[in-house]
DNA sequence: CAGTGAGCGAGCTTCCGCTTGACTT
């Protein structure tokens, strides 16, 4: 039996460390937190100094029983969870749950996983820092109080199953606020003038006029005047410049760059990084630190020297800028910096390449630049043309890595300029004035939202990706799917003494992949702002973090901190439940020109819809649901009236009528009893019969492909092909087939037997509560399934 | 999968952070 038990948070880390320590040590993982507030109910005794009611999480029971066994027989237990608030709490919970003897328990920490660091940590053990633990308890309890008191208010005043929390509600607010800025934005246009000049040495020089003309007429007048003008080099300015590399990756910056450069979603980046971490290729991927270990700095230096030479190396240590960073880990970097690439699938290779280059570049020298600006004067006008060039004198880190920016506004300087001499004349080859529209504020992408959250100190490396899923799963936010529309640009060109006016087109307003608030997202957001402004304030987290720090330093008791917060918060909750009306979602759009009745946009039982007439009218109001991209806040009366043109009859196909309509799951065509969904590209208001028939035929084929077997005796029993292989369908219920079933040889009786023994109506009657399924181990109760599914993705709307 | 347009009833929903697998109708 091992003398020493070391407990860390992650199994991959445990494996590595075990290699460093001798056979006297066994290293195990706790798999993160092992104990949490009880799942059911508040789990906090508010009356009794906020006493938390903890329980071992269901999925950690096995872990705990193994650790218990090992710790009882070990001479010494080393708690080696991360050195931050959450890590300290994990150690404390472990010591409580495992009932560790204080005398044989040590708390150790290390920031890098190297043999020296581990041995050093073991040589300097300490006790658990109770202040830090208390800061975590305050954090945990506060989040529970906020989440579990606020959400029920939403159930009562808006609709059931909604949620609110310190992090998610602010994330939604950011997106709602930005969407409104976007909608309020009024684009203006101005004409930018671009010209190509020819130098006396017959080289071409591209330049842009410093000013832009808001008016078409002024632009045209200017071009006509330029036809008569001469141009000269008024000034030539050459300045040295430099560029420095960015810091190595943290979780947030990795997510941003992988999104920009590789097109990865935030969740995708994390899962690929996890695989690289587990196979030992990179360091831990959930970190807010930009630090590199000495070992890493040294190997980087060696590798750069070998690959590029001494001039390219510059040792650097970066300071972390992000708010509330806890720095329990290193930056994300390759484990072995001498490996420029690794084995793995395409995604792993690409992400590794990005991490390797970024890390290496961070240890390389600055790039030296030469920036050139040529000012060109016009004989008959005070306006100036400017040509900008940039030459790289020494590439430095740029040899490896260029960080990309969010907005690709490339007005910047580029390339080398031809030689010019101050005072000399230039020939104008041609000149264009192009209309340019100002851009609305950019909507958030997954990655830019993460960036913003990090700036505000909201959320942690381990929660960025889950937060983005949560706000989408709750239906507060959706990803845009629409291509933009074409917009005409006016263009005036001058060449060979001729002025020509023409039109160009650009694409604008695409929301593909952008985060857009839904109607319910906006309603919930406005409700929270109206009644709980403090909680959804952008700086709420930063403020409470300061107090958590005070607790961690022992200057504030965690119960007092909560008392102060909760008194006021709870009062607001009671007030709101008591006094506020249900959130109103109705918006009056105008009157229906046909009936003279009011037209409303509102959230109905099945989502956003428009309605003609009042609910109280004797004649039932007419309803129609909004299209996916339409919003209550912005839909016009005209667009609403268009929706009432559904259902539309398109004619008939094979003697059956074809109609198009919009249902709960989007627009569809109906033909007999067949329903076929429209694709994103189809518009139900304009779709024609030919396209409808195409969709019907596709759907017919699909249904046929799905059907594997039917039985003569009973048309209700079908074997269908699903995502996970064949399954049995009977009326509205589905059943899984036994593992060893051979579909071809099954009889109707076999199928009926499965249906009979698994039918939900029957099992429900037999046991209203999920009783232990001792009789049939294969059988899964529907309740067990539902709870499993909901923990992963809550998509159920029934 | 399903294609609709509500108010007598019974219990449920929900938070944030720390970690990996399990295994889907």
């Amino acid at each position: 039996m091992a003398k020493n038990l070391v407990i860390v948070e992650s199994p991959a880390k445990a494996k590595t460390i075990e290699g460093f320590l001798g056979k006297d040590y066994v290293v195990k993982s706790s798999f993160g937190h092992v104990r949490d507030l009880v799942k059911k109910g508040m789990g906090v005794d508010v009356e009794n100094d906020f006493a938390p009611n903890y329980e071992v999480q269901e999925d950690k029971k096995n872990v705990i029983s193994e650790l218990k066994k090992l710790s009882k027989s070990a001479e010494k237990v080393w708690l080696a969870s991360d050195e931050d608030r959450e890590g300290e709490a994990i150690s404390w919970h472990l010591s409580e749950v495992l009932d560790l003897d204080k005398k044989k328990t040590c708390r150790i920490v290390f920031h890098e996983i190297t043999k020296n660091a581990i041995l050093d940590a073991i040589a300097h053990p300490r006790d658990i820092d109770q202040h830090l633990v208390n800061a975590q308890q305050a954090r945990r309890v506060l989040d529970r109080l906020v989440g579990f008191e606020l959400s029920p208010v939403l159930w009562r005043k808006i609709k059931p199953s909604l949620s609110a929390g310190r992090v998610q509600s602010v994330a939604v607010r950011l997106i709602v606020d930005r969407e409104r800025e976007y909608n309020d934005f009024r684009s203006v246009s101005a004409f930018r003038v671009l010209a190509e000049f020819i130098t006396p040495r017959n080289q071409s020089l591209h330049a842009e006029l410093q000013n832009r003309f808001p008016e078409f007429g002024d632009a045209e007048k200017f071009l006509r005047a330029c036809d008569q003008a001469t141009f000269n080099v008024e000034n030539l300015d050459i300045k040295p410049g430099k560029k420095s590399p960015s810091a190595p990756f943290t979780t947030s910056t990795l997510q941003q760059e992988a999104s920009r450069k590789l097109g990865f979603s935030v969740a995708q980046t994390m899962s690929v990084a996890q695989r690289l971490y587990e196979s030992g290729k990179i360091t831990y991927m959930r970190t807010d630190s930009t630090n590199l270990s000495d070992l890493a700095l040294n190997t980087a230096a060696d590798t750069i020297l070998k690959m590029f030479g001494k001039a390219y190396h510059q040792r650097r240590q970066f300071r972390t800028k992000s708010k509330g960073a806890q720095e329990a880990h290193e930056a994300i970097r390759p484990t072995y910096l001498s490996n420029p690439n690794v084995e793995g699938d395409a995604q792993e290779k690409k992400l590794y390449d990005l991490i390797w280059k970024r890390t290496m570049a961070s240890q390389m020298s600055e790039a030296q630049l030469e920036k050139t600006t040529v000012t060109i004067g016009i004989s008959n006008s005070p306006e100036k043309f400017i040509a900008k060039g940039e030459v790289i004198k020494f590439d430095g880190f740029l040899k490896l890595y260029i960080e990309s920016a969010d907005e690709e506004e490339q007005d910047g300087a580029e390339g080398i300029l031809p030689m010019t001499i101050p005072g000399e004349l230039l020939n104008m080859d041609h000149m264009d004035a192009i209309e340019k529209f100002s851009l609305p504020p950019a909507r958030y992408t997954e990655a830019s939202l993460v960036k913003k959250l990090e700036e505000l100190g909201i959320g942690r490396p381990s929660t960025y990706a889950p937060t983005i899923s949560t706000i989408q799963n709750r239906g507060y936010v959706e990803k845009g799917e629409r291509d933009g529309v074409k917009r005409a640009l006016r263009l005036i060109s001058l060449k060979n003494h001729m002025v020509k006016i023409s039109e160009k087109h650009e694409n604008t307003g695409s929301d593909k992949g952008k985060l857009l608030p839904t109607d319910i997202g906006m309603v919930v957001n406005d409700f929270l702002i109206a009644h709980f402004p403090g909680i959804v304030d952008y700086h709420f987290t930063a403020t409470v973090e300061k107090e958590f720090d005070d607790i961690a330093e022992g200057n504030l008791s965690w119960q007092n901190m909560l008392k102060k917060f909760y008194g006021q918060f709870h009062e607001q909750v009671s007030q709101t439940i008591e006094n506020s009306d249900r959130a109103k979602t109705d918006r009056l759009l105008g009157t229906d020109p046909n009936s003279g009745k009011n037209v409303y946009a509102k959230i109905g039982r099945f989502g956003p819809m428009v309605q003609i007439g009042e609910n109280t009218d004797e004649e039932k109001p007419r309803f129609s649901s909004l299209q996916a991209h339409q919003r209550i806040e912005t839909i016009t009366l005209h667009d609403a009236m268009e929706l009432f043109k559904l259902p539309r009859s398109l004619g008939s196909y094979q003697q059956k009528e074809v109609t198009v309509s919009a249902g709960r799951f989007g627009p569809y065509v109906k033909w007999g009893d067949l329903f076929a969904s429209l694709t994103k590209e189809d518009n139900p208001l304009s779709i024609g019969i030919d396209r409808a028939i195409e969709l019907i035929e596709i759907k017919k084929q699909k249904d046929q492909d799905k059907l594997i077997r039917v039985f003569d005796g009973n048309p209700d029993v079908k074997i269908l092909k699903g995502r996970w292989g064949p399954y049995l369908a009977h009326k509205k219920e589905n059943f899984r087939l036994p593992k060893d079933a051979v579909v071809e040889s099954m009889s109707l009786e076999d199928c009926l037997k499965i249906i009979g023994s698994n039918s939900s109506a029957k099992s429900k009657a037999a046991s209203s509560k999920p009783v232990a399924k001792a009789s049939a181990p294969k059988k899964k109760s529907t309740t067990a399934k539902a709870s499993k599914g909901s923990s992963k993705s809550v998509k159920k709307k029934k």
Side-chain angles (χ1 to χ4, degrees), chain A residues 344-374:
Chain A
D345 64 26
Q347 292 186 331
E348 289 167 30
K349 285 184 170 174
K350 276 195 232 166
L351 193 69
Y352 182 87
D353 180 65
L354 197 63
I355 295 170
W356 184 77
K357 284 181 175 158
R358 173 87 163 213
T359 313
M360 291 284 283
S362 81
Q363 298 304 312
M364 292 172 72
S365 30
E366 288 171 335
Q368 306 292 336
L369 312 169
E370 189 180 88
K371 293 181 172 179
T372 307
T373 308
V374 180

Side-chain angles (χ1 to χ4, degrees), chain A residues 515-538:
Chain A
L515 299 172
L516 310 174
T518 62
D519 287 307
I520 196 74
M522 293 195 251
V523 169
V524 168
N525 177 64
D526 294 350
F527 182 87
L528 291 173
I529 291 177
H531 298 98
F532 303 95
I535 305 296
V536 287
D537 187 284
Y538 287 146

Side-chain angles (χ1 to χ4, degrees), chain A residues 130-338:
Chain A
Q130 195 59 42
H131 292 313
L132 197 50
V133 173
N134 289 344
Q136 194 273 347
Q137 298 202 88
R139 198 282 303 157
R140 181 67 192 92
V141 169
L142 180 129
D143 281 336
R144 172 58 69 89
L145 290 171
V146 169
F148 276 34
E149 291 216 358
L150 229 40
S151 302
V153 179
L154 300 181
W155 306 343
R156 290 182 67 155
K157 302 292 182 183
I158 301 177
K159 76 174 205 188
S161 303
L162 295 175
S163 67
R166 175 176 58 82
V167 172
Q168 58 168 290
S169 297
V170 178
V172 173
R173 180 179 186 171
L174 284 165
I175 292 163
V176 173
D177 283 358
R178 180 59 57 86
E179 188 67 14
R180 290 189 173 141
E181 283 172 42
Y182 184 96
N183 289 332
D184 291 343
F185 181 80
R186 294 288 162 264
S187 188
V188 291
S189 77
F191 289 81
R192 60 189 289 219
V193 183
L194 303 167
E196 183 181 349
F197 297 98
I198 307 295
T199 70
R201 285 151 300 279
N202 214 19
Q203 288 177 300
S204 111
L205 176 66
H206 292 269
E208 180 178 353
L209 195 72
Q210 237 173 352
N211 289 318
R212 293 181 183 188
F213 297 103
E215 299 299 329
F216 177 86
D218 292 336
E220 188 187 355
K221 211 188 287 170
F222 175 77
L223 256 65
R224 290 196 189 279
C226 277
D227 191 33
Q228 311 298 322
T230 57
F231 304 89
N232 77 318
V233 175
E234 230 173 59
N235 190 34
L236 175 63
D237 184 43
I238 301 175
K239 265 199 309 223
K242 55 190 174 188
K243 271 187 190 150
S244 305
S246 310
F249 282 130
T250 60
T251 303
S252 142
T253 53
L254 177 68
Q255 289 171 348
Q256 291 160 42
E257 276 288 89
S259 161
R260 290 186 287 233
K261 286 203 153 117
L262 309 177
F264 286 7
S265 74
V266 162
Q268 202 180 356
T269 299
M270 293 314 282
S271 106
V272 177
Q274 176 89 30
R275 295 204 299 269
L276 289 171
Y277 168 66
E278 281 172 10
S279 53
K281 296 181 185 102
I282 61 168
T283 56
Y284 196 57
M285 63 284 155
R286 289 185 276 264
T287 176
D288 51 21
S289 167
T290 53
N291 285 326
L292 294 175
S293 68
D294 285 337
L295 182 80
L297 292 174
N298 292 338
T299 8
D302 286 350
T303 312
I304 292 165
L305 250 50
K306 233 175 263 157
M307 290 179 77
F308 308 110
K310 199 169 167 234
Y312 281 89
H313 177 247
Q314 162 87 55
R315 194 183 177 98
R316 284 197 186 83
Q317 194 64 271
F318 292 80
R319 249 225 193 98
T320 302
K321 279 176 280 182
S322 84
K323 213 177 254 179
Q326 310 203 0
E327 311 233 352
H329 304 274
E330 272 190 77
I332 303 169
R333 64 161 172 93
T335 325
Y336 305 104
L337 277 155
S338 46

